[in-house]
Each structure stands twice: as structure tokens, then as C-alpha cells.
Amino acid sequence: MAAQLTLKDVSLQFGGIKVLQDVSFGVEPGQIFGLVGPNGAGKTSLFNCISGHYKPTSGSITIDGTEVSGSHPATLAKHGLARTFQHPALQLEATVLENVLLGAHTRLPGGPGEWSLRLPRTGRSERVLRSEALALLERNGLGWAADIPADELSHGLHKGIELCRALLMKPRLLLLDEPAAGLPHTEVEHLIQTVRRLRAEDDITVVIVEHHMGLIAALTDRVVVLDHGRKLMEGTAAQAQSDKRVIEAYIGKDAADDAA
């Protein structure tokens, strides 16, 4: 079942630098939600707070009503959260299938000690997960590449591998960090169709950080616009694109006035 994400007054400070200031919003189960804003707005920092890579200075982050602020990424995975990164973190010398299987560690029974003993139930679980990983690759058009080393494939295919790895975690809440970055138009169109299919078929809540406004407009139910670490506005993508404050944040007040 898709997860609900709620942020209330989330702030993040490094020394005297305020990176995020009192950011609040809610993402309903099954929504595709966008986080947008100019460079330096705090989008990735907020993603890092949600996914456990940063601990907020103050505020609350809940998944289905359970407080998760400051939780370790492995703990958040048990709450159904998975994420991708702007620059895919792959083991380039490993095969595509091996990279996808790295997403299965939260689903293996026992722990490292039991895994090293190669007990029967560990072997059974590994066979099931391998089958699931191959099915995910086939479903996302990468079945042909399962046994190819990742470093022989393009940046766009690396994005697809990382998405499959995140999906193998069986997420209910999926965070996509600039999934369209560096992709040509045809691959962006494929990405849009893939995310739509995930929401329709897998019952996943999706939150996207993205600069590609065409993708945001095509996919999202709602967006939050950040500027200098604060929430500037919340609404639909169309409302954001026509909001004077958003236009000023992206292209500057003088340019916005000239365009008016």
C-alpha cells in the first residue's frame, strides 16, 4: 500500500548556515509529488533529510504517521522508503544484475553472520530475489543487459539500473533525485511512462526532485517550490509555472518584470 509522507517545520542548519527553514507539506498515498526550485534552493538537502542521509536540526518527518526524522536509511527502508540519486551510485565493474541485487539486502532473512554461513533459507531467498531482479530488468527494458558490466553501458541506462535496484526493495515511497538529468528527449518520454506505470501498477507514492519542468508538468499531481531553503508556494505544476514569485526565483525579478 502506498505510503503517506508528512513534513512539519523541517529546518536544517550547518553551523551558521540555514539550509532549510520551516518547510512543511504533505504527500498523500499514491500521489506523484514534485520538489522544484532554482539551484541552491535546498531540494537535495530536503531529500537527504527525508531519506536519512541528513538529520534535520528541527521539525518532524513522518511516514504513515510514524516519526522517522533522523532515522538511518536502513531503518527507513523497513518503512518502505527507497531512493535514487542524481548521479547513480553503481558498482561499475559488477554486472547489471549484480547491481540490482544490491537493493535486496533489506529483504534477506537473518543478518551478515547467517548470510556468510550460506544457510538453506538464505539460499532460497537469494534465488527468489534473483528471479525478481531479472523480472524487473525485463519489465524496464533492461533484460538484455543483465550479464553486462555496468561500465559498458550509457548514463541513461545507469539511471534505469538504479531505478530497478530501488524497486527491488519493494518501496511504498520512492524518492527520485533528478531522474531526467542528462537524458535525451526520447529517454525522458520513456521515464515519464515508466513513472506513470509504477504509480498505476505498483501502488507507490513518488516524490521527484527535478529541473525538467516538462517532466514535472507531465507527471505530478502537486508540487512544492523551494527558494533559499523556504517553501515559496505549493500547488499544481501549472500554478507554479504561472506564479510570479516562482518566475522571479528562477529568472530574477528584473527579468520577470521585463517579461510581464
Side-chain angles (χ1 to χ4, degrees), residues 176-206:
L176 302 177
D177 191 353
E178 298 201 23
L183 298 184
H185 176 74
T186 54
E187 292 185 19
V188 172
E189 289 298 317
H190 177 71
L191 174 64
I192 289 170
Q193 297 304 318
T194 297
V195 176
R196 285 176 176 163
R197 175 172 52 79
L198 287 175
R199 193 253 292 272
E201 297 179 4
D202 292 19
D203 194 20
I204 296 175
T205 303
V206 181

Side-chain angles (χ1 to χ4, degrees), residues 37 39 76 85 91 106 119-120 133 137 176 200 202 242:
N39 289 330
L76 289 164
F85 294 84
Q91 299 292 321
T106 60
L119 297 179
L137 288 169
L176 302 177
D202 292 19
S242 61

Side-chain angles (χ1 to χ4, degrees), residues 36-58:
V36 298
N39 289 330
K43 304 182 298 297
T44 296
S45 293
L46 187 57
F47 244 35
N48 285 336
C49 289
I50 297 170
S51 61
H53 293 83
Y54 291 164
K55 182 178 180 179
T57 306
S58 61

Side-chain angles (χ1 to χ4, degrees), residues 8-202:
K8 184 175 181 181
D9 298 330
V10 172
S11 296
L12 178 67
Q13 188 166 332
F14 296 126
I17 301 174
K18 294 180 179 180
V19 181
L20 298 168
Q21 299 182 61
D22 300 320
V23 178
S24 299
F25 59 85
V27 184
E28 295 300 316
Q31 276 191 328
I32 300 177
F33 196 92
L35 277 177
V36 298
N39 289 330
K43 304 182 298 297
T44 296
S45 293
L46 187 57
F47 244 35
N48 285 336
C49 289
I50 297 170
S51 61
H53 293 83
Y54 291 164
K55 182 178 180 179
T57 306
S58 61
S60 171
I61 302 173
T62 64
I63 297 177
D64 293 333
T66 299
E67 179 64 49
V68 297
S69 179
S71 297
H72 190 274
T75 301
L76 289 164
K78 295 177 181 178
H79 287 281
L81 185 149
R83 75 167 286 183
T84 65
F85 294 84
Q86 180 181 354
H87 304 289
L90 302 181
Q91 299 292 321
L92 294 179
E93 73 284 357
T95 67
V96 168
L97 178 59
E98 289 167 341
N99 271 284
V100 174
L101 284 169
L102 290 173
H105 67 280
T106 60
R107 296 179 56 197
L108 280 173
E114 184 172 324
W115 303 338
S116 66
L117 293 174
R118 308 295 300 170
L119 297 179
R121 74 166 183 163
T122 302
R124 287 193 297 270
S125 294
E126 287 178 344
R127 288 191 291 274
V128 169
L129 290 167
R130 180 183 175 87
S131 178
E132 287 186 24
L134 286 168
L136 275 172
L137 288 169
E138 288 288 349
R139 183 183 177 196
N140 289 280
L142 286 167
W144 60 272
D147 297 320
I148 296 176
D151 65 358
E152 296 182 14
L153 301 177
S154 69
H155 172 74
L157 293 178
H158 286 178
K159 294 261 189 179
I161 296 165
E162 190 180 44
L163 177 60
C164 288
R165 183 172 63 191
L167 293 174
L168 191 61
M169 297 171 67
K170 295 285 188 182
R172 298 182 304 114
L173 172 61
L174 178 63
L175 309 183
L176 302 177
D177 191 353
E178 298 201 23
L183 298 184
H185 176 74
T186 54
E187 292 185 19
V188 172
E189 289 298 317
H190 177 71
L191 174 64
I192 289 170
Q193 297 304 318
T194 297
V195 176
R196 285 176 176 163
R197 175 172 52 79
L198 287 175
R199 193 253 292 272
E201 297 179 4
D202 292 19

